Amino acid sequence: MTAPAFADVAVGAELPQTAYPLTREALVRYAGASGDFNVIHWNERAAKAAGLPDVIAHGMLTMAQVARLVTDWTGDPGAVTEYRLRFSRPVAVPDEGGARIVVRGRVEEKLDGNRVAVALEASVDGAPVVAAARAVVRLG
Amino acid sequence: MPLNRAFVGRTFAAPEPYEVSREKIREFAEAIGDPHPAYLSREAARALGYPDVIAPPTFAVVLTGRSGENPIFDPELGMRYERVVHGSQEFTHHRPIRAGDVLSVSSRITDIRDAGPHERLTTVTEIRAAGGELVCTATNVLMSRGTAAVEVPA
């Protein structure tokens, strides 16, 4: 995909919507790569005993998927200067079928230094799982 | 049991710097399922103007989450990890983390407060390259579920 140019990007422009699958295997891989071995991410019995609906995805794995919408759009993952979000609902990842995160983004603001702020949304089965998600990215 | 509020204001610097390798970046990129070439190929990263492969925007969590390098893992804090979920996260990147970086990590617990029946713990981490250049500031909020010392109406 051609990288969007700052001059051509309009406030309100939608980024291409994407969906990312999450499976138990992905959680195990992410636990190993990130070093976050909290039992709630791989042990269903422990997750339920802690009052959670099922094994839940690492928040940071969800955050990585949401970022990907922006970095795939710009083509330069090093151009993200600010990135924040709140985790508003745990992402349960059932043993069978896993979960599917749908990510949307919209250009919210044009800033100095050829940067744009992108407002982001992520949902699972239609229910939002993040809030106040925003990335600031530098464009060419 | 509520968290030990004496930890507010406490700073913990990792005893050794973290050396970022191409292979760790590759492993992390594969774990998040993102095959962007700038994470995997030095040539692709160079084409974008970077001296070596760069790390995904959330890679800094590898540095902030290691036990022994973050005050949240001190047993005296009293955190029970199965009660903890991630509340929010914020990164400010001054430049991308890249292979070959030797990074020092310093974390400070800036706030612990009740949030209804839960407790909310905020940690701010600074990641600096050799020479002191600030590369990334990360603000992490953890929710400790059901541990507040409050009377919850039945």
Side-chain angles (χ1 to χ4, degrees):
Chain A
M1 185 194 301
T2 310
F6 180 78
D8 299 337
V9 171
V11 170
E14 304 269 342
L15 278 62
Q17 176 182 317
T18 315
Y20 303 99
L22 279 182
T23 61
R24 289 280 178 89
E25 182 187 350
L27 303 194
V28 172
R29 285 174 73 95
Y30 188 78
S34 68
D36 182 347
F37 293 99
N38 194 325
V39 290
I40 61 173
H41 302 308
W42 53 269
N43 183 321
E44 188 170 326
R45 177 180 47 78
K48 286 180 173 170
L52 295 165
D54 203 331
V55 162
I56 65 167
H58 302 76
M60 291 307 300
L61 178 55
T62 298
M63 192 171 188
Q65 307 309 318
V66 176
R68 201 169 151 190
L69 187 80
V70 177
T71 55
D72 281 349
W73 177 59
T74 67
D76 179 359
V80 175
T81 59
E82 292 166 44
Y83 181 32
R84 66 165 185 250
L85 56 72
R86 188 160 61 75
F87 301 100
S88 54
R89 194 171 73 100
V91 175
V93 180
D95 185 23
E96 279 189 47
R100 191 165 170 273
I101 299 183
V102 176
V103 184
R104 293 186 177 82
R106 182 177 51 79
V107 176
E108 187 178 58
E109 200 178 347
K110 292 182 86 168
L111 305 167
D112 59 6
N114 281 9
R115 295 173 308 141
V116 298
V118 178
L120 294 153
E121 294 174 12
S123 58
V124 173
D125 295 331
V129 295
V130 301
R134 174 177 153 116
V136 175
V137 62
R138 198 177 48 251
L139 300 179
Chain B
M1 272 287 285
L3 300 173
N4 182 353
R5 307 271 166 128
F7 272 69
V8 175
R10 205 172 280 191
T11 300
F12 196 102
E16 298 290 338
Y18 182 96
E19 298 189 27
V20 182
S21 72
R22 278 186 215 128
E23 291 308 325
K24 187 63 193 181
I25 290 175
R26 170 185 292 276
E27 180 193 15
F28 188 86
E30 287 176 350
I32 63 173
D34 189 342
H36 196 290
Y39 306 145
L40 308 174
S41 151
R42 191 157 33 153
E43 287 64 40
R46 282 183 173 161
L48 290 171
Y50 305 110
D52 207 325
V53 295
I54 60 170
T58 60
F59 180 83
V61 72
V62 173
L63 285 70
T64 61
R66 294 196 299 169
S67 61
E69 307 208 348
N70 189 316
I72 66 164
F73 296 107
D74 188 325
E76 295 290 311
L77 175 62
M79 189 168 258
R80 291 169 55 204
Y81 299 102
E82 76 281 4
R83 305 299 319 175
V84 173
V85 294
H86 203 156
S88 65
Q89 183 71 38
E90 181 171 342
F91 296 104
T92 301
H93 292 291
H94 300 281
R95 66 157 172 83
I97 292 172
R98 60 190 183 229
D101 272 336
V102 178
L103 300 172
S104 61
V105 182
S106 170
S107 296
R108 191 163 71 95
I109 293 178
T110 59
D111 189 41
I112 303 175
R113 68 177 62 197
D114 290 349
H118 315 304
E119 289 179 283
R120 184 178 183 276
L121 177 142
T122 306
T123 307
V124 177
T125 300
E126 287 186 349
I127 298 173
R128 292 179 184 274
E133 172 200 8
L134 184 60
V135 173
C136 175
T137 304
T139 303
N140 170 290
V141 174
L142 297 179
M143 302 300 297
S144 177
R145 297 167 51 248
T147 60
V150 294
E151 295 295 324
V152 181

